Amino acid sequence: MASEKLPWIVILLLAIVSPRIEGIGVNWGRAASHPLPPSKVVEFLKSNGITKVKLFDTNPEVLESLSGSNIDVTVGVPNSMLRSLNSSFKVAQSWVHDNLARYFSDGVRIEYIAIGDEPFNHVYGDQFFPFVVGAAENIQTALTKAKLAGRVKLVVPCSFDAFQSESGLPSMGHFRADVNRTMSELLKFLTKHQSPFFVNISPFLSYHSNKNISLDFALFKETARPHKDSRRTYKNSFDLSYDTLVSALSSAGSDKMDIVIGQIGWPTDGAASATSSNAQVFMKKFLEHVRSRSGTPLRPKEPPIETYILSLLDEDNRSIATGNFERYWGVFTFDGQAKYQLDLGQGSRKLVNAQNVQYLSSKWCVVNNNQNLSNATTRALEACSSADCSALSPGASCFNLSWPGNISYALNSYYQQHDQRADSCDFGGLGLITTVDPSVGTCRFIVQLRTSSSASFFISHWRITAATILLWLVGGGF
């Protein structure tokens, strides 16, 4: 009889002693000129076994599409609302009523509310973070009054530059001096409400900006030179960053706080090291690391309780302030086609692409070689000022296009962005509409999606600075 009961005892013991890992999710951003319809996205989320999704807002169409899906949802409060939410309980109460209450009754499984999007990021200065705790407290009170406090937790996604170690040693990690006081208040709030610490970690950005981080170290490769911190050995960039945060939390008196990785990924274009092959290596190794439950040197056998991959889809309206690679974080292309194979929850099966995607007509805008091309570069610069030419940047997939192929790429990007209107391929007679796909090698001339919101985009998201364009020119772009 004892032998028959042993498996149940073992299962019980494992449940008690094993670290709590609640799943792998994805960030679903919508900074796209022609986004996939939410219902179609939810279809292929479910087809790929993805059970958690993190949003950056409370878009009604998106939340309605998640109703009854059994997908756990994190919704976002934009940074622009933090000041008003901090100063007014009525604003917080209205936000909860308008953006949360009805969706709970409609079967949307909202798990977290993210207060801001990296409000501690150093590029914002003190524009947002001083209002984080006040905004969180007001929303928490509003949730209590709406009898929703027990169903959802408040969190604050923190950028990896909110903590640091001047020596590069994880054991010396601490929060930035300018955010220390607010961070201390935030940690008290999170502890009081048993909420985890959300952090965005980017081995890609660490490699991109830190000469002491090698590509092999960022990609979890066994050939990487390990980093030493006293008796601890670090074999990859993720563990190094993670334990720097663990030390920062410990120094602030929150050494036992659960950690959630709010964003982590590897882009596939826009920079020399941003390739699909590198992305696949990184994501595969990272997910193996998390699922092994091995933890890190400072938290052995205690991996993050949840992880959200950056990102589900490419977003051509995403800000490129930190680099052109920002538009290529997706595991899937903008139209929902897998770039590489990865186990997101579907097991040994291949990733399932979005089905029955509706595109605009198979038409492209290219240079008319029968015209005078003396002003072609000027026309291309005009096109790129309000279209996505990030793939033409140094190291990107279309950088090696010869002239005038690169001009054609710019013209087509503008043409697709403007829903293939005939006048958007004029360019003073320089443009020519063709039904022959001009794609070359890995450089894809896209055909945009047919969406109801095709025309509603914000040019301000697209603006590429004159300095950036000049860099492309110097690098041989045009």
Side-chain angles (χ1 to χ4, degrees):
M1 294 294 291
S3 61
E4 291 178 3
K5 292 182 179 180
L6 183 59
W8 295 103
I9 294 172
V10 171
I11 291 171
L12 179 61
L13 287 173
L14 285 172
I16 294 172
V17 304
S18 294
R20 185 162 55 96
I21 300 179
E22 296 178 352
I24 305 295
V26 295
N27 284 270
W28 176 6
R30 302 236 322 145
S33 61
H34 295 64
L36 272 173
S39 58
K40 198 164 290 295
V41 175
V42 172
E43 281 178 17
F44 86 94
L45 284 172
K46 293 166 70 175
S47 296
N48 287 298
I50 298 170
T51 59
K52 292 179 177 292
V53 67
K54 180 168 162 283
L55 309 174
F56 294 86
D57 54 23
T58 53
N59 180 285
E61 190 181 2
V62 171
L63 289 174
E64 286 164 9
S65 71
L66 287 162
S67 176
S69 66
N70 291 324
I71 294 174
D72 292 330
V73 181
T74 297
V75 297
V77 176
N79 288 334
S80 59
M81 286 197 66
L82 295 181
R83 183 187 288 267
S84 59
L85 287 166
N86 168 73
S87 62
S88 171
F89 169 70
K90 286 187 176 179
V91 171
Q93 199 167 25
S94 295
W95 187 89
V96 168
H97 177 271
D98 296 343
N99 296 283
L100 286 184
R102 69 186 180 96
Y103 295 112
F104 276 107
S105 58
D106 288 346
V108 182
R109 292 171 46 165
I110 300 175
E111 181 182 20
Y112 296 115
I113 302 170
I115 308 298
D117 181 22
E118 297 192 334
F120 292 94
N121 195 310
H122 76 281
V123 301
Y124 298 135
D126 61 358
Q127 189 177 356
F128 302 122
F129 78 76
F131 312 111
V132 163
V133 177
E137 288 175 340
N138 279 337
I139 290 178
Q140 185 68 47
T141 303
L143 288 170
T144 300
K145 284 187 174 292
K147 298 182 179 179
L148 295 172
R151 301 178 65 177
V152 62
K153 292 183 182 296
L154 302 187
V155 296
V156 178
C158 291
S159 53
F160 71 94
D161 68 348
F163 52 94
Q164 57 193 191
S165 170
E166 288 79 2
S167 65
L169 300 177
S171 61
M172 302 299 289
H174 61 89
F175 290 110
R176 282 198 337 257
D178 61 314
V179 304
N180 229 351
R181 181 176 177 180
T182 302
M183 190 62 74
S184 178
E185 294 172 357
L186 173 60
L187 293 174
K188 289 176 183 175
F189 175 88
L190 296 176
T191 300
K192 177 181 178 180
H193 298 286
Q194 297 181 314
S195 294
F197 190 93
F198 263 55
V199 63
N200 300 343
I201 289 180
S202 182
F204 173 81
L205 288 176
S206 295
Y207 162 69
H208 205 253
S209 60
N210 187 342
K211 64 181 180 181
N212 294 319
I213 302 294
S214 70
L215 182 60
D216 283 0
F217 191 67
L219 292 175
F220 288 84
K221 290 194 174 180
E222 295 179 2
T223 53
R225 180 182 63 83
H227 290 222
K228 292 280 190 178
D229 183 356
S230 186
R231 295 181 180 179
R232 301 183 187 92
T233 300
Y234 289 86
K235 297 180 179 180
N236 62 77
S237 178
F238 170 77
D239 285 357
L240 200 74
S241 294
Y242 191 87
D243 274 2
T244 303
L245 169 62
V246 170
S247 291
L249 288 171
S250 182
S251 297
S254 299
D255 54 311
K256 299 299 183 183
M257 182 167 285
D258 285 336
I259 297 173
V260 169
I261 305 300
Q263 290 182 16
I264 189 165
W266 197 279
T268 58
D269 206 346
S273 55
T275 65
S276 293
S277 58
N278 281 345
Q280 183 174 29
V281 169
F282 173 79
M283 291 308 309
K284 182 174 181 292
K285 292 287 188 181
F286 170 71
L287 291 178
E288 286 175 352
H289 182 48
V290 170
R291 286 167 173 156
S292 73
R293 302 178 180 235
S294 59
T296 62
L298 282 181
R299 282 197 175 181
K301 302 188 184 304
E302 291 184 43
I305 61 170
E306 294 181 31
T307 295
Y308 293 85
I309 293 167
L310 183 70
S311 186
L312 179 64
L313 299 158
D314 285 346
E315 301 167 70
D316 63 2
N317 265 353
R318 191 175 168 92
S319 169
I320 54 173
T322 55
N324 294 300
F325 51 80
E326 288 287 354
R327 292 178 175 166
Y328 303 98
W329 291 104
V331 175
F332 295 83
T333 54
F334 74 98
D335 51 352
Q337 310 305 299
K339 300 178 187 176
Y340 51 87
Q341 288 306 311
L342 189 68
D343 180 6
L344 294 177
Q346 84 281 9
S348 59
R349 294 182 293 110
K350 287 187 175 181
L351 288 174
V352 179
N353 295 331
Q355 303 296 306
N356 303 313
V357 176
Q358 299 296 309
Y359 296 90
L360 298 175
S361 301
S362 294
K363 297 188 296 185
W364 297 263
C365 180
V366 297
V367 168
N368 185 343
N369 290 312
N370 293 321
Q371 296 292 318
N372 182 345
L373 303 185
S374 60
N375 67 342
T377 295
T378 300
R379 294 297 187 182
L381 293 175
E382 290 173 0
C384 287
S385 69
S386 57
D388 183 20
C389 294
S390 55
L392 290 171
S393 57
S397 60
C398 298
F399 178 62
N400 291 323
L401 274 181
S402 59
W403 191 91
N406 46 14
I407 305 293
S408 290
Y409 185 92
L411 302 191
N412 184 64
S413 182
Y414 184 91
Y415 177 62
Q416 301 296 337
Q417 167 66 19
H418 290 79
D419 301 321
Q420 297 185 351
R421 292 200 319 263
D423 62 350
S424 65
C425 187
D426 184 33
F427 299 101
L430 182 67
L432 173 69
I433 296 173
T434 180
T435 56
V436 179
D437 188 349
S439 299
V440 180
T442 59
C443 178
R444 178 186 179 189
F445 282 59
I446 68 163
V447 171
Q448 264 296 0
L449 302 181
R450 187 182 302 278
T451 68
S452 58
S453 58
S454 291
S456 27
F457 58 90
F458 298 93
I459 293 299
S460 59
H461 284 288
W462 286 91
R463 294 298 182 193
I464 297 174
T465 65
T468 300
I469 295 173
L470 282 173
L471 279 174
W472 295 352
L473 287 168
V474 171
F478 295 133

